[in-house]
Structure formats: structure tokens, C-alpha cells
């Protein structure tokens, strides 16, 4: 690759958001290049795969975007199947939130609304016989899950099927030259583009040359997988954690922590012991389940927990698709759609004002 290589779009980041953006821009006929070398702890692989915007809803106008993102998933996976012939396990048949005490049950029951339904202990037992829920719980009826690890593999296959050039490299810096962005790689190569999409997850702030600091930090989440026949059909929150069935693998995933430890990898005995307690309280039959593996990942957290989506206020060549915090899996397909629309000069079709970079930084020339 020479210094004269030019693309309409360069996507920096090969996690789920970057892959979704690359697919969407290429589908619009924009010459697209994907850059990234997958790092240990990338959140896209480490996550639990929740599609659950109503379990811990975001505030204000951003909430509608999260609902639209959930509802986009079925057609998104259909598109991937059409391109690759591969299926991704996926369901939107509910997420449960179990009360651990009578007091919590009363609080949860009062919070029920049009998207959630309170169910008694006997009704929960009918839905999930293996679940221990003596105080009842909420059913988030439209929410669900996707097998994010399988999804990453299928997205990789889709990028290959669409013949999107892909460079196994890390970016060392970006230059803004006129109306273009020039990305320098650790291979010594440079790539010019009309738009550079920043989708590098928790590592995005560490790219020298960006127009401004990115308010994103890594938040470590630890996880555990237990070997167990699928005792549950749905994901379940409760007792300070959650369990997620992975039927195809005959496993149950248990998580998760939220730790500000930089990019420190690994798991801790305290967290794993806590997962055991949570899993057993929710599903007593998991008490003797064998541990399959443990891992951690780094969520790219912004100051307000919302992503940064859209053009840089002072450098239109830079498009952000970063800082998805706890909702990267949920928001990735719709983020790809709207960023591709922006790159093509079209309306995004959704209100992106809650995700603007300007909410964190003043425009150039404005003093405090």
C-alpha cells in the first residue's frame, strides 16, 4: 500500500461498531477500507449480547434511538444471512428482572409500564421453571439477546464477502490535510480518505492527531461461563448480576463487574466468587456447574454513558462512532446506518442530537 491510496471512507476499529459501519458505507457504494488489529479485551467479543433498552433505559431523546436499534436487529441479521448464508442466534422474547426481596418487588412492580409487565412468583415459574424467584419479577417483553461472539464471526465473513479491503494494523496518528484525513499505520503506510470513522472502542482516545480529546475511558467487565444444559430460555437480571443462556454452546454466562482499572486485563477471585453466588441464587441447579472459562472486556464509557455519533464540530472529515459504553452490541447496526448516511451526505433518519460531540466540548474559539 502506498501513501497515495485513497478511499471515500476509512473505518478505524474492527469491533462490532466498526464492522457495522464498514458494511453500511460499502453498501452505499462508498469505497471503504477497514483498519484494525483486534486487541485482547475488545468489548464486542467480551459482552453478554443484551438487546435490552428497557432494562436500564437511557434518558431523554436517546431512548427512542435505543428502541429503534433493537428493532433494527432482525432485518440486520437477515441482511447478514443473505450475504454470508450464516445464521446468528437471536431472540426478542423477553428479559427478566427478578426481585431479591419483598421491598424490591414492590419497587419493581410500581415501575411496570407499557414495555414491562409485573409477574408473580408462580407466573415467573411458568415462564422459567429453573429460576428461583419467590418474590416475582418484571418481564421486559420486547427485549432479548444476540450471540455476539457468533455475530462477530458472521460480520467478519460479511466484510470479506463484500470485498471490503481490510488492514491488520494499528493506527499511530491521524493528520487533517485540507478536506481529507490521513491515517498513519504502524506498518509505515498511510491512507487518505474523505471521511475517517473513529470506531476504535475504548482505545479511541489514544489516537494522536484527533481534533480534540475524546471523553472515553475503559471500564473493565469480568465474566464467567458455566457448563450447563440450557435451564433458561431468557436472560435474567437479579441479585446484583445476570445470567444469559447460550444454548448452542450448552453454557450459561454470568456477569458482570464495572471497574475503573485502566486496561488491566484478567479476572479476580472476588468477582468470580460473586458470580457463583449470583448464579446459584438465580438458578439453584447451577451450584455444581463446572467453570468453562473466565474473561474480561473493556467497555468504552463516556461521561454520560451515551455514544458519540456524528461529525466533529471543527473537522468534518472525522466522523465519530465511539463511546457506546454498555450498549455497543445493541446500537451497532443502527450506528452503522446513520454514520453511513452522514458519510454519503444524506439525512441520518434519526435524532442524533443526544450523541453530538458538542455536548462535551466547546466549539473552537469559545472560551470558558
Amino acid at each position: 500500500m502506498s501513501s497515495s491510496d485513497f478511499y471515500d471512507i476509512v473505518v478505524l476499529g474492527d469491533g462490532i461498531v466498526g464492522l457495522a459501519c464498514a458494511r453500511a458505507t460499502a453498501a452505499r457504494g462508498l469505497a471503504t477500507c477497514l483498519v484494525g488489529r483486534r486487541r485482547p479485551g475488545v468489548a464486542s467479543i467480551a459482552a453478554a449480547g443484551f438487546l435490552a433498552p428497557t432494562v436500564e433505559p437511557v434518558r431523554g431523546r436517546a431512548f427512542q434511538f435505543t428502541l429503534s436499534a433493537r428493532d433494527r436487529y432482525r432485518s440486520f441479521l437477515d441482511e447478514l444471512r443473505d450475504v454470508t448464508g450464516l445464521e446468528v442466534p437471536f431472540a426478542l422474547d423477553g428479559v427478566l428482572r427478578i426481585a431479591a426481596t419483598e421491598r424490591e418487588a414492590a419497587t419493581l412492580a410500581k415501575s411496570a409500564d407499557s414495555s414491562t409487565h409485573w409477574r408473580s412468583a408462580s407466573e415467573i415459574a411458568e415462564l422459567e421453571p429453573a429460576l428461583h424467584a419467590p418474590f416475582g419479577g418484571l418481564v421486559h417483553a420486547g427485549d432479548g439477546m444476540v450471540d455476539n461472539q457468533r455475530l462477530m464471526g458472521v460480520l467478519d465473513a460479511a466484510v470479506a464477502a463484500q470485498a471490503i479491503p481490510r488492514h491488520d494494523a494499528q493506527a499511530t496518528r491521524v493528520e487533517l490535510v485540507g478536506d481529507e484525513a490521513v491515517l498513519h499505520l504502524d506498518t509505515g503506510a498511510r491512507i487518505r480518505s474523505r471521511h475517517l470513522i473513529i470506531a476504535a472502542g475504548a482505545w479511541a482516545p489514544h489516537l494522536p492527531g484527533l481534533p480534540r480529546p475524546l471523553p472515553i475511558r475503559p471500564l473493565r467487565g469480568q465474566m464467567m461461563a458455566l457448563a450447563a444444559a440450557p435451564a433458561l430460555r431468557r436472560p435474567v437480571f437479579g441479585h446484583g448480576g445476570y445470567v444469559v443462556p447460550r444454548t448452542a454452546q450448552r453454557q450459561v454466562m454470568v456477569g458482570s463487574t464495572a471497574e475503573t482499572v485502566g486496561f488491566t486485563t484478567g479476572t479476580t477471585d472476588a468477582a468470580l466468587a460473586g458470580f457463583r453466588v449470583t448464579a446459584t441464587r438465580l438458578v439453584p441447579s447451577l451450584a455444581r456447574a463446572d467453570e468453562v472459562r473466565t474473561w474480561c472486556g473493556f467497555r468504552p464509557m463516556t461521561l454520560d454513558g451515551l455514544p458519540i455519533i456524528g461529525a466533529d464540530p471543527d473537522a468534518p472529515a472525522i466522523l465519530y462512532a465511539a463511546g457506546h459504553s454498555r450498549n455497543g452490541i445493541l446500537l451497532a447496526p443502527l450506528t452503522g446506518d446513520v454514520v453511513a448516511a452522514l458519510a454519503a451526505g444524506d439525512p441520518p433518519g434519526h435524532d442524533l442530537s443526544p450523541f453530538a460531540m458538542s455536548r462535551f466540548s466547546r466549539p473552537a474559539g469559545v472560551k470558558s
Side-chain angles (χ1 to χ4, degrees), residues 81-123:
R81 185 191 60 239
D82 292 343
V83 169
T84 67
L86 301 173
E87 298 280 353
V88 178
F90 156 80
L92 290 178
D93 55 1
V95 172
L96 306 186
R97 188 171 179 182
I98 300 306
T101 64
E102 289 185 1
R103 182 174 181 178
E104 185 180 3
T107 300
L108 288 177
K110 290 179 181 178
S111 71
D113 56 24
S114 59
S115 62
T116 59
H117 311 288
W118 176 257
R119 293 292 182 260
S120 67
S122 61
E123 290 171 322

Side-chain angles (χ1 to χ4, degrees), residues 42-60:
V42 63
S44 303
I45 297 174
F50 286 113
L51 305 177
T54 73
V55 174
E56 294 179 342
V58 299
R59 297 180 179 179

Side-chain angles (χ1 to χ4, degrees), residues 19-21 50 75 77 82 92 101 126 157 167 174 205 209 256 264 273 300 312 315 318 328 357:
L19 292 168
C21 288
F50 286 113
S75 59
L77 297 182
D82 292 343
L92 290 178
T101 64
E126 290 180 5
H167 302 276
V174 61
S256 172
T264 302
D312 186 273
I318 301 294
M357 172 62 81

Side-chain angles (χ1 to χ4, degrees), residues 18-368:
L19 292 168
C21 288
R23 280 201 66 253
T25 55
R28 283 178 169 264
L30 300 171
T32 299
C33 169
L34 180 66
V35 175
R37 182 179 297 139
R38 205 154 285 166
R39 305 173 189 255
V42 63
S44 303
I45 297 174
F50 286 113
L51 305 177
T54 73
V55 174
E56 294 179 342
V58 299
R59 297 180 179 179
R61 290 172 293 176
F63 181 59
Q64 183 56 54
F65 190 84
T66 66
L67 294 178
S68 298
R70 178 196 64 192
D71 297 342
R72 170 71 171 102
Y73 245 89
R74 193 176 303 278
S75 59
F76 178 70
L77 297 182
D78 287 344
E79 292 166 11
L80 292 182
R81 185 191 60 239
D82 292 343
V83 169
T84 67
L86 301 173
E87 298 280 353
V88 178
F90 156 80
L92 290 178
D93 55 1
V95 172
L96 306 186
R97 188 171 179 182
I98 300 306
T101 64
E102 289 185 1
R103 182 174 181 178
E104 185 180 3
T107 300
L108 288 177
K110 290 179 181 178
S111 71
D113 56 24
S114 59
S115 62
T116 59
H117 311 288
W118 176 257
R119 293 292 182 260
S120 67
S122 61
E123 290 171 322
I124 292 292
E126 290 180 5
L127 288 173
E128 297 287 357
L131 192 62
H132 181 64
F135 303 106
L138 277 180
V139 179
H140 296 259
D143 289 353
M145 60 181 175
V146 66
D147 186 334
N148 52 293
Q149 294 182 7
R150 173 67 172 167
L151 175 57
M152 284 290 286
V154 173
L155 275 167
D156 285 334
V159 166
Q162 290 179 247
I164 298 171
R166 188 166 183 172
H167 302 276
D168 181 12
Q170 298 291 359
T172 57
R173 65 188 175 99
V174 61
E175 274 186 288
L176 297 173
V177 181
D179 295 332
E180 297 178 3
V182 182
L183 193 64
H184 295 249
L185 307 183
D186 61 1
T187 59
R190 295 185 298 166
I191 312 176
R192 297 164 44 232
S193 63
R194 185 165 56 84
H195 287 297
L196 173 62
I197 298 175
I198 304 297
W203 292 269
H206 300 282
L207 177 63
L210 288 173
R212 65 196 67 243
L214 297 185
I216 298 171
R217 61 185 174 89
L219 192 70
R220 184 175 73 178
Q222 300 181 47
M223 295 279 290
M224 169 190 285
L226 301 175
L232 299 173
R233 290 182 53 210
R234 303 167 180 83
V236 179
F237 284 82
H239 295 282
Y242 55 75
V243 292
V244 180
R246 282 284 186 265
T247 303
Q249 295 89 345
R250 296 182 65 83
Q251 295 177 6
V252 174
M253 298 168 61
V254 191
S256 172
T257 61
E259 306 161 271
T260 305
V261 294
F263 287 102
T264 302
T265 58
T267 57
T268 63
D269 291 343
L272 300 182
F275 296 158
R276 281 284 185 181
V277 171
T278 297
T280 301
R281 285 176 174 172
L282 290 171
V283 184
S285 63
L286 293 177
R288 296 181 179 84
D290 291 333
E291 178 184 299
V292 177
R293 63 189 180 99
T294 62
W295 68 97
C296 74
F298 300 105
R299 306 179 187 95
M301 296 295 297
T302 62
L303 299 177
D304 60 5
L306 298 179
I308 304 168
I309 303 174
D312 186 273
D314 302 318
I318 301 294
L319 293 174
Y320 297 109
H324 285 70
S325 301
R326 299 175 185 273
N327 287 314
I329 304 299
L330 169 66
L331 299 181
L334 192 57
T335 296
D337 292 346
V338 299
V339 170
L342 294 174
D346 295 331
H350 297 269
D351 181 7
L352 300 184
S353 60
F355 315 122
M357 172 62 81
S358 57
R359 73 190 194 272
F360 295 123
S361 57
R362 298 177 180 84
V366 176
K367 298 180 179 180
S368 57

